[in-house]
């Protein structure tokens, strides 16, 4: 009876569960592949047989596993050839030095995976090439019998001359590229509809050199390198690597790019870790994309006028003139592969749209895009997400010849920071409405009709073969190409035919047809082809200068870039007159078009607009201009009191992009004309002036002193005192250092006081009887850490006086800086530290970020007072077995981590922000990051040691770096600006600023709680 009742109850439970699952499925636009994942333990989740159970697939689609370990491991990049075979670059040897894994001396593999029986399983595996020089390549592109492998410092081309799926020889295409064993180096190549190659590198790439090790010249004859360009770059070249153009720069880590049939370029870009600023870009050719300050190269974190309201926007300098806007910002992530899906197998929402993999949030997404003026807007639609498996790390996406989507999965507990937690796994998935079979139709490239059919294929390898075949057929292919070009219903297919025709002899005929087409995308394509063929653009732009479509006019503007003909300025002015005052894409196109010719282009515009400030459009064009002609107008805009100061900040900032003596004259006149003596106005003007011009003007000097006194005690005050080297302010600096000794501004005041020869004022404090002032100044100079401050503290601690309390305090304060730590240990080792002060010297080192320093210092304590706390330690398995308390974890985090990390607005901005870290890392990876902080340091958060000419040594994270200044960040939110002419040496350290052994200061439960808390820090959907 009991057994029957149990069976009935079990049946009811199963039915109820099924009903709940169905209800959830019908209420959601996503399909859960297998909810049984919630019943799996962590070890079961990792099994390849359970690979699909943690994934959520968009409705209308299905997913299958094509290949898993041990067939492949650690796939970084894939390409799908015209036979549907998946080519894979593996990365077992990825950063083996910091990941403590023994590298394969035979090198990493380039694999070919094939499904021979059409069931969707890549059961056949071949090694195309393996060699000791192959170590974690980031890109593969299969172009016929040539295979492009991207691995800084090289781009290799492997040739399969005899068609046996083995590399017969290799040659260098490019070299000298930075980012060896680095995610921010050279990335993969893609074939464009114009027969060109498109590729990019991240901000470690820096320079592009040819096979002869000569720096490659760009489209203007300039060297491609940091002299002209900043950070990550986008390129286009001929198939043999010649005729390289730099199409965009100032990205951070633009991992891959995609080109649609019209020749429009799309790519993603990664932010500095934790800043929720990952972006998708439409790459407007020759644009600046704002990762660093365009003029100085300063970081987005550096102080500047007219800062953006939020960090994700500030990250890309979006308020600065000359920065192309972003298509979309997606939050936190680690973006990788990207494609433009122009097939018809997937649901309509994904057709003709960007598809992108981001292993950070464990997702493959689409970004449906719509035109918006001269640019675009986009939204986010998930295709595949590791909802229940945070080890899912989609490293790349590609299109198969049948239109299905192929996804590579790096499969790892973490991503970013050059860390790898798993070296045994890797997966390939296929997504389609029906995955029951995978059969690839063989194309006929021997006839025009067959090649045309192949040209329509969504797979790039098929299209490339068709493009070349049609081009080689020449006249024989023209009738079929013209038929597709003139009669096809799909404009993207028409564009593909157009590009082949335009690159044939007499291609100008088809360009003229394209410029007259009713479809604006094809008129745009015609202009792009004309530029590539180096046709005279003036008569072509004349035909379209008043086109109704702003995107066509955008291309007209870009076509005028560096055009020296007289009519170019007039045409630009006509196009500028059609700017509506709101379309930032159009405005930045105007800037690109006027590059190096602003004087004559703006002159032509002003001839048509006597009062350019009469409307928003004219004011924007003045703001964007780079010529002395704009300065009187900029000054008027910045000085116009009928507008709130906040709305005028953009005009003050615009002065930073102007050069020459007229700039200083304009700013000085603004101060002269500020009859009310408005402090904020003068502060801004003085900030953008150079010191020499200010000090030569009586009115400016008077204004400077008024601003100085009005801002006393503030960071702005310190900036001005430092900028103008005002020793007359030393007494005020001392007062500020004493009053705010525990704040960054107080410590900076003490530092500036020493720089301005104010040591005698500090010594007077020590001779006084004011204990509060003495304590404060000791604390402030202890944190300064230069040779002079350490010398002052050491002298006090070692002098033979009756004031033992002062000596004790000084001894403890020496160790509050990196240089001070080293000096303290030296005093202890050489026994120069008086015995009675040893506990105080040691106490000063207990907060060191270097575990070795703390450990050594404890050895100098007398046995009678040694009290070394038993160190706590916990294993991952122990942690996962315990139940964490989120509330307690938040308290532990606040105590241990906020000195360097922010969650929301809480904490200090030193290391990566952790607001959404739970979306990126599972508990295993969070545990590893705390236990081994130096094993995976996020790019941009490396620790640097800077040795100064005065003998001091500083250790911190570089927040910003220009030719003249470096800004360092220290725990506790302290920033220090250093002039490069005071630096002796600078080197990157292998240790993180996060101290080793932090977990040993916590109990096992506290460690469990903090991991539990951090796992809850996820993106709010």
């Amino acid at each position: 009876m009991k057994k029957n009742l149990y069976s009935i109850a079990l049946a009811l439970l199963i039915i109820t569960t099924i009903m709940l699952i169905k209800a959830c499925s019908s209420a959601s636009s996503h399909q859960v592949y297998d909810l049984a994942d919630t019943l799996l333990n962590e070890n079961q989740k990792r099994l390849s047989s359970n690979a699909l159970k943690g994934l959520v697939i968009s409705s209308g689609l299905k997913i299958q596993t094509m290949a898993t370990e041990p067939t492949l491991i650690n796939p970084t990049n894939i390409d799908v050839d015209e036979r549907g075979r998946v080519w894979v670059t593996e990365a077992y040897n990825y950063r083996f030095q910091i990941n403590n894994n023994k590298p394969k001396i035979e090198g990493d593999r380039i694999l070919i995976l094939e499904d021979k029986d059409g069931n969707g399983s890549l059961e056949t595996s071949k090694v195309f090439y393996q060699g000791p020089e192959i170590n974690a390549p980031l890109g593969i592109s299969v172009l016929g019998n040539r295979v492009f492998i991207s691995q800084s410092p090289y781009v290799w081309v492997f040739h399969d001359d005899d068609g046996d799926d083995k590399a017969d020889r290799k040659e260098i295409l490019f070299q000298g590229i930075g980012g060896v064993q680095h995610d921010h180096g050279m990335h993969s190549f893609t074939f464009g509809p114009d027969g060109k190659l498109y590729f990019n590198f991240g901000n470690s790439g820096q320079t592009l050199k040819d096979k002869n090790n000569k720096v490659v010249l760009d489209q203007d004859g300039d060297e491609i390198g940091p002299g002209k360009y900043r950070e990550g770059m986008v390129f286009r070249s001929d198939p043999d690597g010649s005729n390289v153009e730099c199409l965009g720069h100032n990205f951070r880590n633009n991992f891959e790019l995609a080109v649609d049939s019209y020749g429009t370029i799309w790519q993603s870009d990664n932010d500095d870790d934790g800043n929720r600023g990952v972006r998708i870009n439409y790459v407007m050719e020759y644009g600046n994309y704002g990762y660093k300050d365009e003029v100085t190269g300063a970081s987005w974190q550096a102080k500047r006028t007219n800062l953006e309201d939020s960090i994700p926007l500030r990250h890309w300098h979006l308020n600065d003139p000359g920065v192309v806007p972003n298509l979309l910002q997606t939050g936190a992530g680690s973006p990788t592969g990207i494609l433009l899906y122009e097939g018809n197998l997937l649901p309509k929402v994904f057709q003709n749209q960007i598809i992108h993999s981001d292993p950070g949030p464990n997702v493959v997404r689409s970004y449906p895009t719509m035109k918006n003026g001269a640019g675009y807007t986009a939204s986010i639609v998930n295709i595949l997400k590791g909802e229940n498996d945070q080890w899912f790390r989609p490293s790349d996406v590609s299109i198969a010849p049948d239109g299905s989507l192929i996804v590579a999965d790096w499969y790892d507990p973490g991503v970013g920071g050059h860390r790898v937690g798993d070296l045994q796994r890797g997966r390939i998935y296929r997504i389609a409405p029906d995955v029951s079979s995978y059969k690839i139709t063989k194309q006929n490239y021997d006839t025009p009709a067959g090649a045309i059919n192949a040209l329509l294929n969504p797979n790039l390898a098929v299209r490339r073969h068709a493009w070349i075949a049609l081009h080689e057929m020449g006249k024989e292919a023209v009738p079929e190409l013209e038929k597709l070009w003139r009669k096809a219903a799909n404009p993207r297919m028409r564009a593909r035919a157009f590009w082949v025709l335009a690159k044939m002899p007499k291609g100008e005929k088809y360009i003229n047809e394209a410029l007259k087409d009713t479809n604006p995308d094809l008129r745009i394509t015609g202009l792009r082809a004309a530029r590539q063929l180096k046709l005279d653009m003036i008569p072509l732009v004349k035909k379209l200068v008043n086109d109704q479509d702003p995107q066509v006019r955008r291309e007209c503007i870009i076509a005028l870039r560096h055009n020296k003909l007289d009519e170019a300025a007039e045409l630009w002015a006509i196009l500028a007159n059609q700017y509506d005052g709101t379309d930032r894409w159009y405005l930045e196109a105007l800037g690109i078009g006027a590059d190096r010719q602003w004087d004559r282009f703006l002159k032509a515009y002003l001839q048509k607009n006597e009062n350019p400030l009469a409307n928003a459009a004219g004011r924007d064009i003045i703001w964007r201009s780079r010529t002395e002609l704009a300065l009187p107008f900029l000054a008027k805009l910045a000085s116009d009191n009928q507008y709130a100061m906040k709305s005028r900040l953009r005009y003050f900032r615009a002065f930073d992009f102007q050069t020459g003596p007229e700039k200083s004259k304009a700013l000085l006149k603004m101060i002269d004309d500020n009859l009310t003596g408005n402090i904020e106005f003068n502060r801004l003007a003085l900030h953008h002036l150079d010191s020499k011009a200010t000090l030569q003007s009586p009115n400016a000097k008077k204004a400077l002193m008024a601003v100085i006194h009005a801002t006393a005690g503030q960071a702005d005050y310190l900036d001005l005192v430092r900028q103008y080297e005002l020793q007359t302010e030393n007494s005020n600096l001392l007062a500020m250092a004493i009053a705010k000794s525990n704040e960054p501004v107080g410590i900076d005041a003490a530092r500036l006081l020493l720089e301005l020869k104010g040591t005698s004022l500090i010594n007077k404090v020590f001779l006084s009887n004011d204990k509060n002032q003495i304590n404060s100044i000791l604390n402030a100079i202890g944190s300064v850490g230069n040779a002079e401050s350490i010398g002052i503290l050491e002298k006090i601690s070692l002098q033979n006086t009756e004031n033992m309390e002062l000596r004790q305090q000084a001894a403890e304060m020496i160790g509050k800086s990196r240089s001070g730590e080293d000096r303290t240990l030296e005093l202890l080792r050489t026994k120069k530290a008086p015995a009675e002060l040893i506990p105080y010297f040691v106490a000063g080192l207990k907060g060191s970020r270097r575990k070795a320093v703390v450990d050594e210092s404890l050895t100098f304590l007398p046995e009678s007072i040694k009290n070394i706390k038993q160190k706590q330690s916990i294993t991952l398995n122990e942690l996962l077995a315990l139940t964490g308390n989120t509330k307690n974890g938040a308290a532990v985090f606040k105590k241990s981590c906020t000195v360097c990390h922010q969650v929301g607005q809480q904490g200090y901005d030193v290391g990566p922000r952790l607001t959404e870290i739970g979306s990126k890392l599972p508990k295993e990876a969070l545990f590893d990051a705390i236990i081994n902080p130096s094993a995976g340091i996020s790019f941009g958060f490396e620790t640097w040691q800077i040795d100064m000419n005065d003998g001091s040594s500083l250790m911190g994270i570089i927040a910003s770096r220009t030719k003249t200044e470096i800004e360092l960040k220290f725990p506790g939110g302290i920033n220090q600006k250093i002039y490069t002419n005071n630096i002796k040496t600078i080197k990157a350290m292998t240790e993180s600023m996060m101290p080793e052994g932090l977990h040993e200061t916590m109990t096992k439960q506290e460690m469990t709680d903090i991991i539990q808390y951090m796992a809850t820090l996820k993106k709010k959907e």
Side-chain angles (χ1 to χ4, degrees):
M1 182 65 178
K2 288 183 179 179
K3 185 176 181 181
N4 289 338
L5 287 173
Y6 175 80
S7 300
I8 292 169
L10 181 60
L12 286 171
L13 178 62
I14 293 171
I15 291 169
T16 303
T17 303
I18 292 171
M19 290 176 68
L20 284 171
I21 292 172
K22 287 185 175 180
C24 291
S25 297
S26 62
S28 171
S29 62
H30 292 86
Q31 170 192 338
V32 180
Y33 190 87
D34 191 343
L35 289 180
D37 179 65
T38 57
L39 304 177
L40 301 177
N41 62 38
E42 291 301 316
N43 289 331
Q44 289 171 328
K45 284 182 181 182
R46 306 287 86 86
L47 298 175
S48 60
S49 57
N50 292 324
L52 300 182
K53 293 182 179 180
L55 306 180
V56 175
I57 186 78
S58 178
S59 62
L61 292 172
K62 295 182 179 179
I63 181 171
Q64 71 176 148
T65 304
M66 300 188 83
T68 70
E69 65 278 359
T71 301
L72 76 156
I73 56 171
N74 298 72
T76 57
N77 205 242
I78 59 172
D79 198 10
V80 181
D81 68 18
E82 58 190 276
R83 292 161 56 184
R85 302 183 303 175
V86 180
W87 295 63
V88 182
T89 51
E90 292 185 323
Y92 182 90
N93 286 354
Y94 177 71
R95 286 267 171 163
F96 55 84
Q97 298 97 331
I98 66 171
N99 285 298
N100 298 318
N101 63 296
K102 186 178 180 180
K104 291 182 178 179
I105 58 173
E106 63 271 27
D108 279 322
R109 301 185 301 176
I110 302 167
L111 299 177
I112 308 173
L113 307 181
E114 185 174 5
D115 174 15
K116 289 190 174 181
D117 56 14
N119 67 352
S121 175
L122 300 171
E123 78 286 340
T124 303
S125 173
K126 299 177 182 178
V127 177
F128 174 75
Y129 185 81
Q130 183 175 23
E133 77 277 27
I134 303 297
N135 285 294
L138 292 182
I140 182 169
S141 183
V142 183
L143 304 178
N145 70 337
R146 297 189 304 159
V147 180
F148 288 63
I149 298 296
S150 302
Q151 179 191 300
S152 290
Y154 298 107
V155 175
W156 287 299
V157 179
F158 289 84
H159 295 259
D160 180 5
D161 296 319
D162 54 12
D164 65 350
D165 293 333
K166 297 289 184 183
D168 296 304
R169 56 190 173 92
K170 77 174 189 287
E171 60 182 348
I172 295 173
L173 185 69
F174 296 114
Q175 61 182 315
I177 305 154
V180 177
Q181 276 275 357
H182 202 298
D183 298 348
H184 294 232
M186 176 58 76
H187 299 307
S188 67
F189 285 61
T190 191
F191 179 77
D194 50 3
K196 297 259 190 179
L197 297 180
Y198 290 77
F199 54 102
N200 57 18
F201 62 51
N203 62 333
S204 287
Q206 296 191 338
T207 301
L208 195 66
K209 295 183 179 180
D210 64 18
K211 62 183 179 182
N212 298 314
N213 209 30
K214 293 182 178 179
V215 178
V216 174
L217 303 183
D218 70 3
Q219 62 277 4
D220 300 317
D222 300 324
E223 289 189 347
I224 293 176
K228 178 176 181 180
Y229 298 108
R230 294 201 182 279
E231 308 301 312
M233 305 176 204
V234 174
F235 305 102
R236 176 169 58 208
S237 78
D238 288 346
D240 63 356
S242 62
N243 296 318
V244 177
E245 301 171 77
C246 185
L247 301 179
H249 74 123
N250 215 357
F251 301 97
R252 182 179 180 268
N253 189 25
N254 41 331
F255 205 88
E256 278 191 353
L257 51 78
V259 188
D260 67 22
S261 292
Y262 305 122
T264 307
I265 307 165
W266 313 88
Q267 73 171 15
S268 64
D269 193 14
N270 196 7
D271 63 344
D272 288 340
D273 249 11
N275 289 287
R276 293 175 287 166
V278 171
R279 60 178 174 173
I280 307 299
N281 292 112
Y282 148 58
V283 182
M284 190 187 299
E285 293 185 25
Y286 312 120
N288 157 46
Y289 289 82
Y291 174 52
K292 293 289 182 71
D293 186 297
E294 180 187 352
V295 176
T296 67
S299 165
W300 61 271
Q301 300 176 76
K303 188 175 180 180
R304 61 183 183 271
T305 302
N306 199 32
L307 278 173
E308 296 77 1
D309 292 335
S310 67
I311 287 171
L313 302 179
R314 189 178 305 165
H315 198 286
W316 307 115
H317 287 85
L318 291 175
N319 279 359
D320 281 359
V323 175
V324 178
N326 298 326
L327 168 65
L328 181 70
Q329 293 198 215
T330 61
S334 304
T336 50
I338 194 169
L339 57 84
L340 202 293
Y341 187 83
E342 292 182 331
N344 54 22
L345 181 67
L346 299 188
K348 278 195 174 295
V349 67
F350 306 124
Q351 293 177 19
N352 302 322
Q353 303 298 346
I354 301 165
I355 293 178
H356 176 236
S357 58
D358 192 333
N362 324 99
V363 70
V364 176
R365 297 169 171 149
S366 176
Y367 306 117
T369 302
M370 296 179 62
K371 291 185 177 182
N372 181 30
Y376 304 86
T377 60
S379 56
I380 299 175
V381 178
N382 285 356
I383 295 176
L384 181 65
K385 186 156 180 25
E387 200 71 58
N388 299 310
D389 187 358
Q390 280 191 283
W391 283 44
F392 172 59
R393 304 293 182 183
S395 55
D396 200 11
V397 286
S398 192
I399 310 172
D402 69 344
S404 59
L405 199 63
I406 310 298
V407 178
D409 182 4
W410 169 261
Y411 205 75
D412 198 273
V415 64
H418 311 296
R419 186 72 169 136
V420 56
D422 182 277
L423 290 167
Q424 305 301 325
R425 296 177 178 91
R427 287 91 190 262
I428 303 292
Y429 305 110
R430 177 169 170 257
I431 297 172
D434 180 1
V435 294
S436 59
S437 66
Y438 181 57
K439 296 181 180 178
I440 306 302
T441 302
K442 186 176 181 179
Q443 302 289 338
N444 177 9
Y445 300 101
D446 296 329
T447 66
I452 287 289
N453 184 65
L455 190 66
L456 307 182
N457 196 277
N459 173 265
L460 288 177
V462 175
R463 277 155 54 185
R464 175 194 167 275
H465 194 159
W467 200 99
I468 293 173
L470 290 164
H471 210 262
E472 290 176 348
M473 290 177 194
K475 292 181 179 179
E476 181 187 356
V478 168
E480 289 291 337
L481 282 167
E482 287 183 340
K483 181 179 177 182
L484 178 62
W485 159 234
R486 291 170 180 159
K487 297 182 179 180
N490 187 333
R492 291 174 184 266
M493 302 304 111
R494 292 183 62 200
R496 293 182 192 178
F498 165 78
W499 279 112
V500 181
L501 289 166
K503 294 298 181 79
M504 286 182 171
K506 301 181 181 179
E508 190 172 350
K509 166 187 174 183
Y510 303 101
I511 289 175
N512 287 325
E513 289 181 18
L515 298 182
K516 297 174 184 176
D517 200 275
T518 58
N519 187 310
D521 289 318
L522 293 173
R523 299 199 293 278
I524 289 169
T525 308
L527 283 168
R528 289 171 175 166
R531 282 197 288 119
Q532 287 194 22
L533 294 180
K534 294 181 169 48
L535 301 182
D536 182 355
M537 297 305 299
I538 295 298
L540 304 184
V541 171
K542 278 183 178 179
K543 294 177 182 179
L544 299 173
V545 71
N546 291 305
D547 197 283
Q548 293 299 304
D549 191 283
Q551 297 200 346
V552 175
R553 298 199 304 274
R554 174 199 72 207
E555 292 298 318
C556 288
I557 297 167
I558 294 171
L560 296 174
R561 180 179 181 270
H562 298 178
N563 191 310
K564 303 296 184 183
L565 297 178
D566 292 340
E567 291 175 277
E570 173 67 16
L571 289 170
W572 184 90
I574 294 171
L575 289 159
N577 264 351
Q578 297 173 76
Y579 168 56
D580 64 4
T582 62
D583 187 347
R584 180 68 182 272
W585 304 90
Y586 196 96
L587 179 64
E588 290 306 327
L590 288 170
I592 292 169
D595 183 57
R596 299 186 183 181
Q597 301 194 88
W598 270 108
D599 287 349
R600 68 190 193 98
F601 277 35
L602 187 63
K603 181 179 179 182
Y605 176 77
L606 293 175
Q607 288 173 350
K608 297 179 181 295
N609 298 271
E610 292 184 8
N611 181 13
L613 309 188
N615 54 55
R619 293 192 289 271
D620 279 356
I621 288 171
I622 291 297
W623 171 76
R624 179 62 182 84
S625 298
R626 306 286 172 88
T627 168
E628 291 181 351
L629 293 175
L631 288 170
F633 299 107
L634 265 185
K636 188 172 183 180
L637 287 167
S639 304
D640 194 343
N641 289 320
Q642 67 175 313
Y643 296 102
M645 181 59 74
K646 184 176 181 180
S647 66
R648 288 185 275 149
L649 293 177
R650 67 195 304 254
Y651 304 118
F652 281 99
R653 173 62 170 159
F655 277 100
D656 290 337
F657 299 88
Q658 303 287 348
T659 58
E662 294 303 313
K663 168 185 169 180
S664 293
K665 290 179 182 178
L667 287 164
L668 288 171
K669 187 175 186 303
M670 287 166 60
I671 293 174
D672 290 343
D673 293 344
N674 180 21
L675 301 179
T676 63
N678 182 285
I679 293 295
E680 176 63 7
F681 181 91
N682 283 344
R683 183 190 70 79
L684 287 163
L686 288 163
H687 174 71
H688 295 278
L689 266 166
D690 65 84
S691 303
K692 184 178 179 181
T694 300
L695 298 177
Q696 289 177 348
S697 165
N699 281 347
K701 286 175 65 178
K702 181 180 178 182
L704 172 63
M705 297 315 299
V707 173
I708 286 286
H709 294 145
T711 58
Q714 303 172 25
D716 288 336
Y717 166 83
L718 296 177
D719 290 341
L720 286 170
V721 173
R722 179 175 278 113
Q723 180 181 349
Y724 290 97
E725 299 180 352
L726 299 175
Q727 291 186 349
T728 54
E729 292 300 306
N730 280 358
S731 295
N732 291 328
L733 289 172
L734 176 65
M736 189 174 175
I738 291 171
K740 301 184 178 184
S741 61
N742 289 312
E743 301 175 32
V745 289
I747 296 166
D748 198 23
R751 180 181 297 111
L752 183 54
L753 177 60
L754 293 172
E755 291 174 7
L756 297 178
K757 314 299 182 187
T759 308
S760 61
L761 293 176
I762 294 174
N763 289 331
K764 286 181 181 179
V765 175
F766 294 136
L767 295 175
S768 73
N769 293 318
D770 192 324
K771 289 187 177 181
N772 290 332
Q773 287 196 1
I774 291 172
N775 290 342
S776 294
I777 198 64
L778 282 171
N779 187 73
I781 64 173
S783 298
V784 169
N786 62 19
E788 188 171 4
S789 67
I790 293 171
I792 292 171
L793 295 169
E794 182 179 335
K795 182 179 179 181
I796 294 172
S797 65
L798 300 183
Q799 66 186 358
N800 188 15
T801 68
E802 295 181 358
N803 193 343
M804 180 57 71
E805 184 179 354
L806 176 61
R807 294 177 64 196
Q808 291 169 348
Q809 290 174 308
E812 187 169 340
M813 287 301 160
I814 295 176
K816 296 300 181 184
S817 64
R818 163 76 183 203
S819 297
E821 291 175 6
D822 294 338
R823 183 55 185 162
T824 297
L825 284 180
E826 182 65 20
L827 291 171
L828 290 168
R829 290 167 184 154
T830 58
K831 299 183 179 181
K832 291 182 180 179
E836 67 274 18
L837 292 180
I838 287 176
Y840 298 94
F841 281 105
V842 173
L845 298 178
K846 68 180 181 181
S848 173
R849 319 294 295 179
R850 295 179 287 174
K851 185 173 180 290
V853 169
V854 177
D855 290 346
E856 183 181 353
S857 72
L858 295 174
T859 65
F860 294 102
L861 287 173
E863 290 295 329
S864 60
I865 62 172
K866 279 185 179 179
N867 181 25
I868 302 176
K869 184 180 178 182
Q870 184 67 35
K871 294 177 180 178
Q872 298 283 334
S873 187
I874 185 172
T875 66
L876 177 60
N877 287 336
E878 286 177 319
L879 183 141
L880 294 176
L882 293 173
T883 300
N885 184 298
T886 302
K887 184 177 179 181
N888 291 343
V892 177
F893 182 91
K894 184 177 181 180
K895 180 181 71 174
S896 302
C897 306
T898 53
V899 70
C900 284
H901 297 286
Q902 280 188 329
V903 170
Q905 298 302 312
Q906 184 185 72
Y908 291 102
D909 178 21
V910 182
R913 287 180 173 84
L914 303 179
T915 306
E916 297 177 4
I917 191 64
S919 295
K920 183 176 182 180
L921 300 181
K923 288 184 178 180
E924 299 96 323
L926 292 170
F927 177 85
D928 181 67
I930 295 175
I931 298 290
N932 303 301
S934 297
I937 303 172
S938 295
F939 186 61
F941 294 95
E942 301 88 349
T943 304
W944 293 83
Q945 180 176 321
I946 299 179
D947 297 325
M948 307 296 290
N949 292 331
D950 65 2
S952 62
S953 180
L954 302 172
M955 182 173 283
I957 295 171
I958 292 179
S960 181
R961 185 174 187 174
T962 69
K963 290 181 179 179
T964 58
E965 294 178 349
I966 290 177
E967 187 173 340
L968 274 185
K969 294 194 296 185
F970 305 97
I974 300 169
N975 283 31
Q976 179 176 347
K977 190 174 289 185
I978 305 164
Y979 293 104
T980 52
N981 59 2
N982 294 327
I983 294 175
K984 182 179 180 181
T985 62
I986 178 170
K987 63 179 179 179
M989 309 298 290
T990 57
E991 302 88 3
S992 169
M993 282 291 287
M994 181 174 168
E996 297 280 350
L998 181 63
H999 62 290
E1000 294 175 349
T1001 67
M1002 306 177 198
T1003 66
K1004 293 184 178 182
Q1005 187 60 52
E1006 285 175 332
M1007 184 67 171
T1008 304
D1009 292 343
I1010 196 173
I1011 294 291
Q1012 174 64 29
Y1013 167 68
M1014 294 173 70
T1016 67
L1017 301 176
K1018 297 186 177 183
K1019 182 177 181 179
K1020 296 177 181 178
E1021 300 294 345

